[in-house]
Each structure stands twice: as structure tokens, then as C-alpha cells.
Amino acid sequence: MMITSRNKPIILHESISMDEVLTSGFSSSQSPNIVFKWVISLVLGGILLGTILNIVFKWVISLVLGGILLGTILPQNETLPSATWRLLSSIIGYIYFLAWSSSFYPQIVMNYERQTTRGLSVDFCVLNVLGYCCYGLYTTTFFWNQGIAEEYKRRFSSGGDDINEKSSEAEITVQGNDVAFAIHALIMASVTLSQVGVYDTFKSRPPSKRVIVIIFSTISFCVAYVCFTWAVKGDVDFLGFLYVLGMVKLGVTIGKYVPQVLLNKQRKSTVGWNVKNQRKSTVGWNVKNVILDLTGGILSLIQLVGDCASMKDYSGLVGNPVKIVLSLVTIFFDVIFLLQHYVMYPDRSSYTILEPQQPSIEAG
């Protein structure tokens, strides 16, 4: 049918078939293949996206619901002036507790399934227990010891500049979830170390002389610090001693990340090989652990900064250096791991055998 407009005739088709639509841009021989490829690509892409979202959704929902439950029913920080932030801080803190704490279990389960700890560094296991011993003492003493709380206030509180201005009393920013994580981490690190003795025995896999020297040096330095402060001040600087313990924990944390970064760079890969089961494995490197680790680091930092902002007192950042540096170090290295895994070395079709002394990626 044809009608005439002012400028030119316009041809209107009464009907057009679906075949003409599908084949209008392609030759008759190519169109079925292209359409078929489109359909397959969409289906596979949908399945992959759905799988990823399903996994992430389960993780997120589990962490959030667990954090809301624990943060609501467990005691909250009464020094925070805002009731709303008091609840949010508690929820954020326990989400980070769950994220960091859950990262210990894959390695323990893997050791149990394989009935060996080969592929896991004994040195790292020993140093991990040392680090969490120090961190456990650091958090529990700050949280429960009233003498330390008073000493902290004397050292970090700021007096008013004017006679009518009230002085600001510094509050300790170590939370109950920090204590819970430190205690739980120490228990899990001890369990992992005990698996070395149970499955492989310390006689066949003893810690290296270097680790023994590190432990001896750490103990000697702590004793020397206590004796020195007592000799100079006439009293032991327990607050300073806690910061020394915190620095030991930070040293262990940095020491466990750096070798894995260098190994990934050397091998140009983040994939491991489980020799016993003859299959791909993540002995010593697990991307799920890295994501959980990164989540915990970010939330730990948010909680600390949010608490200081709520109290309008940012001395808590200086007064709790272990928590803020631990969060920043964790975020920094986890971002490097993810860049190595997804950007720098994305080809995981080829892989090599993991060295027998590899640390695992665990929280903090």
C-alpha cells in the first residue's frame, strides 16, 4: 500500500515476518549461527552472573545478619554519645569480627581433609600464634584493665585552652568485638599449629632457627623494655609495653603478606597445585580468604574512625595505632592480591606446584 505525502510517497508494508527481522542484517547462511551464539552467550553469561551473585549474596547476607544479631544482643560501647552510632558501631564491629574470623576455617578444614599440613609454613603458624598472643594481651588489657584506662586518659586527654572550657577525656577505642576477634584468632591459630604436630609431627617439620631467634628476641626485648622503664621512671610503663606487643603483632602481619606477594610475582600466577589429590588447589592462597580479609579490614577501619567522629575525639586514632595500622596494612596487601589474581595474572589455565613452605592468607 502507498500513500502520498507533501514531499514524497511513503510506502507502508502491511505485514513483515519474524524471519525478515532476524535475517534483515545478515546473510541467510550466517543468521542462524549468530543468533544461536547470542542465545548461548546470554545463557552462559546469565548462569555465571547468577552463580557469582548467589555466592556473594550468601556471604553478604550471612555476615550482615550475623553482625546485626551479635551487635544487637551483645554489650555495646557506652562511651559513645550517640545511641544510633552505638548500635551501628557494634553491628559493623561484629560483621568485621565474622569476616576476619571465618577466614581461619578453610585452612583448618583443608588440613583435616588432606590429613597433612604440607604446603603450609610451620614458621608462619608459630609466628601467627606469637602475634595473636601479643594482640590478645593488647586488646584484653585495654578493654578490661581500669589502671590502663586511667593511664590512657592521663596520656591522651587534652585540657581546655580557656579556664571556662572543659577538658576532653580521651576514651579507649578498643571494642568488645576487637577482644572477641583476638581471642578467637588465638584459638584458631593454635589449632592450626597443633595440626602440624598431629598430622606431620614437629620432629619432621620443626620451626626454623630463624623463627626461634625471632621469638627469643621478642621476649628479650619485652623484658628489656620493662626493666628499662622501671630503672628510668621508677615504675613500669605498662601502657608503653602494650604498644610494644601491638608492634610485634603488626610485624607478624606484614611478614606473612610480603612472601605471598613476592611468590605470586615470581610464579606469575596465584594458582596452587595440590599434589596429593592431583587437582587444582589453593593451599596457602585462597581468594575467598582474601575477600573476607579485605572486608574485615575495611569495616574495622570504618568502626574506628566512626567511633572517634562520634566522640569528637580523634586521639583514639593515635591511642589505638595497632587497630588502624592493622586495617590499613590488610587493605593494602589484599588489594595487591586481588590485582594479582584478576588483573596481573588472570590466566589460570597453567599452574605450577606450590613450594612446600607457604603461608596461608588469614585475617589480620
Side-chain angles (χ1 to χ4, degrees):
M1 183 176 67
M2 182 177 69
I3 63 175
T4 304
S5 68
R6 180 176 301 178
N7 297 322
K8 58 182 180 178
I10 301 175
I11 299 175
L12 297 179
H13 293 278
E14 295 183 355
S15 64
I16 185 170
S17 66
M18 182 59 66
D19 290 338
E20 291 175 331
V21 173
L22 291 176
T23 61
S24 59
F26 311 104
S27 66
S28 59
S29 61
Q30 292 178 340
S31 58
N33 292 334
I34 293 176
V35 173
F36 180 73
K37 289 179 180 179
W38 281 0
V39 172
I40 293 298
S41 299
L42 289 174
V43 171
L44 292 179
I47 293 174
L48 178 60
L49 180 62
T51 302
I52 294 174
L53 290 177
N54 185 41
I55 294 173
V56 173
F57 183 75
K58 287 181 178 178
W59 281 12
V60 172
I61 291 298
S62 299
L63 291 176
V64 170
L65 290 180
I68 292 174
L69 178 63
L70 294 176
T72 303
I73 64 176
L74 293 178
Q76 301 168 8
N77 187 357
E78 297 298 329
T79 61
L80 297 175
S82 170
T84 301
W85 177 252
R86 195 180 306 150
L87 176 61
L88 287 176
S89 175
S90 182
I91 291 173
I92 290 172
Y94 281 104
I95 293 176
Y96 112 67
F97 161 76
L98 292 174
W100 269 1
S101 296
S102 59
S103 67
F104 286 90
Y105 290 92
Q107 187 68 57
I108 294 176
V109 172
M110 184 181 295
N111 294 340
Y112 172 77
E113 291 176 345
R114 299 168 64 235
Q115 292 294 295
T116 181
T117 58
R118 299 286 176 179
L120 179 65
S121 170
V122 179
D123 288 353
F124 168 74
C125 291
V126 174
L127 291 176
N128 215 22
V129 172
L130 172 65
Y132 283 120
C133 279
C134 294
Y135 191 53
L137 287 172
Y138 174 89
T139 55
T140 54
T141 306
F142 266 115
F143 191 73
W144 278 308
N145 191 297
Q146 290 301 315
I148 290 296
E150 294 301 322
E151 176 61 26
Y152 180 91
K153 290 180 180 179
R154 285 193 295 269
R155 184 171 300 190
F156 290 100
S157 295
S158 59
D161 296 330
D162 187 78
I163 191 171
N164 296 321
E165 184 182 350
K166 284 187 177 183
S167 61
S168 174
E169 275 199 350
E171 296 290 345
I172 292 176
T173 52
V174 174
Q175 297 270 30
N177 54 267
D178 298 324
V179 177
F181 167 70
I183 294 175
H184 177 270
L186 177 58
I187 294 172
M188 292 298 101
S190 301
V191 169
T192 305
L193 179 61
S194 69
Q195 288 181 313
V196 177
V198 172
Y199 298 138
D200 301 299
T201 74
F202 288 107
K203 185 176 181 180
S204 62
R205 301 195 67 204
S208 67
K209 293 181 180 180
R210 178 178 55 187
V211 168
I212 295 175
V213 170
I214 291 174
I215 294 175
F216 179 77
S217 300
T218 300
I219 296 174
S220 300
F221 181 81
C222 291
V223 173
Y225 181 87
V226 171
C227 294
F228 176 78
T229 55
W230 179 77
V232 173
K233 298 181 179 180
D235 193 12
V236 176
D237 181 11
F238 283 111
L239 184 59
F241 177 70
L242 291 178
Y243 288 133
V244 170
L245 295 178
M247 293 305 109
V248 173
K249 167 55 186 164
L250 290 176
V252 172
T253 297
I254 295 173
K256 84 177 182 182
Y257 284 128
V258 172
Q260 189 67 56
V261 172
L262 297 178
L263 180 67
N264 293 343
K265 180 181 179 181
Q266 178 186 358
R267 297 171 61 241
K268 304 297 183 185
S269 174
T270 59
V271 175
W273 180 259
N274 187 328
V275 181
K276 179 179 178 181
N277 293 334
Q278 294 294 303
R279 60 181 175 82
K280 284 186 180 181
S281 176
T282 49
V283 178
W285 206 97
N286 191 323
V287 70
K288 288 184 179 180
N289 282 16
V290 175
I291 295 175
L292 289 171
D293 199 28
L294 178 61
T295 302
I298 293 173
L299 293 179
S300 177
L301 183 62
I302 291 174
Q303 183 190 36
L304 178 59
V305 175
D307 289 351
C308 292
S310 177
M311 294 185 291
K312 298 179 180 179
D313 176 21
Y314 290 93
S315 65
L317 299 177
V318 180
N320 193 0
V322 179
K323 182 170 182 175
I324 187 170
V325 176
L326 191 63
S327 299
L328 292 174
V329 168
T330 298
I331 294 170
F332 175 76
F333 280 103
D334 285 338
V335 169
I336 292 179
F337 286 136
L338 293 177
L339 287 175
Q340 287 182 322
H341 190 69
Y342 291 109
V343 179
M344 298 173 66
Y345 317 124
D347 182 13
R348 288 177 281 278
S349 59
S350 61
Y351 39 85
T352 56
I353 297 176
L354 268 177
E355 284 74 0
Q357 291 291 314
Q358 265 315 104
S360 64
I361 303 300
E362 292 172 355

